[in-house]
């Protein structure tokens, strides 16, 4: 339990600071409410009613998220490989080259299909 004491103390200090900040902001902060402040934040644009079925959502958002996940996973695999590069030898190098080649094929496919065009 002694090994975890500093982590618990740091967590308690962080939580205490967060709770203290929220409580003090509520007690001391200005209380000038108006209609604009109580509305939902819509980047300065007046909110529009949503159609009954929820409306269509552009597929570009999902494609961007999936691209981010693919290349984020690539980084997650490249970092530990770079740390243990010396101990893996030629096998590790070949495996990582195959992995990077696979990701590059996915990147080329997305590029040719126009997935990287931000209209």
């Amino acid at each position: 339990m002694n090994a975890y004491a500093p982590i618990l103390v740091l967590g308690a200090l962080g939580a205490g600071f967060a709770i203290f900040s929220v409580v003090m902001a509520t007690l001391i902060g200005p209380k000038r409410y108006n209609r604009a402040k109580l509305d939902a934040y819509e980047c300065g644009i007046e909110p529009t009613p949503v159609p009954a079925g929820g409306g269509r959502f552009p597929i570009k958002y999902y494609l961007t998220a999936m691209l981010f996940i693919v290349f984020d996973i690539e980084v997650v695999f490249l970092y530990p490989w770079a740390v243990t590069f010396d101990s893996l030898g030629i096998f590790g190098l070949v495996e990582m080259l195959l992995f990077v080649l696979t990701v590059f094929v996915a990147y080329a496919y997305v590029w040719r299909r126009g997935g990287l065009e931000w209209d």
Side-chain angles (χ1 to χ4, degrees):
M1 189 63 179
N2 268 349
Y4 294 108
I7 296 171
L8 293 174
V9 169
L10 185 62
L13 281 173
F17 178 74
I19 292 169
F20 174 77
S21 298
V22 170
V23 168
M24 292 311 290
T26 305
L27 295 176
I28 298 173
K31 294 168 181 56
R32 293 178 294 234
Y33 297 109
N34 56 28
R35 182 179 176 272
K37 199 174 235 185
L38 295 174
D39 277 348
Y41 181 67
E42 292 283 338
C43 301
I45 302 171
E46 288 294 322
T48 57
V50 179
R56 291 186 53 106
F57 202 78
I59 193 88
K60 283 272 190 187
Y61 294 111
Y62 298 112
L63 292 175
T64 304
M66 290 184 341
L67 284 174
F68 173 76
I69 289 171
V70 165
F71 294 113
D72 192 44
I73 289 173
E74 179 184 15
V75 171
V76 166
F77 282 120
L78 278 174
Y79 183 73
W81 172 79
V83 170
T84 60
F85 176 71
D86 290 336
S87 64
L88 293 176
I90 193 73
F91 175 75
L93 179 64
V94 171
E95 289 297 319
M96 191 48 66
L97 285 175
L98 288 174
F99 175 71
V100 169
L101 180 68
T102 305
V103 172
F104 181 72
V105 167
Y107 175 73
Y109 174 77
V110 168
W111 190 355
R112 284 190 47 90
R113 299 281 298 199
L116 300 176
E117 295 175 10
W118 313 106
D119 296 334

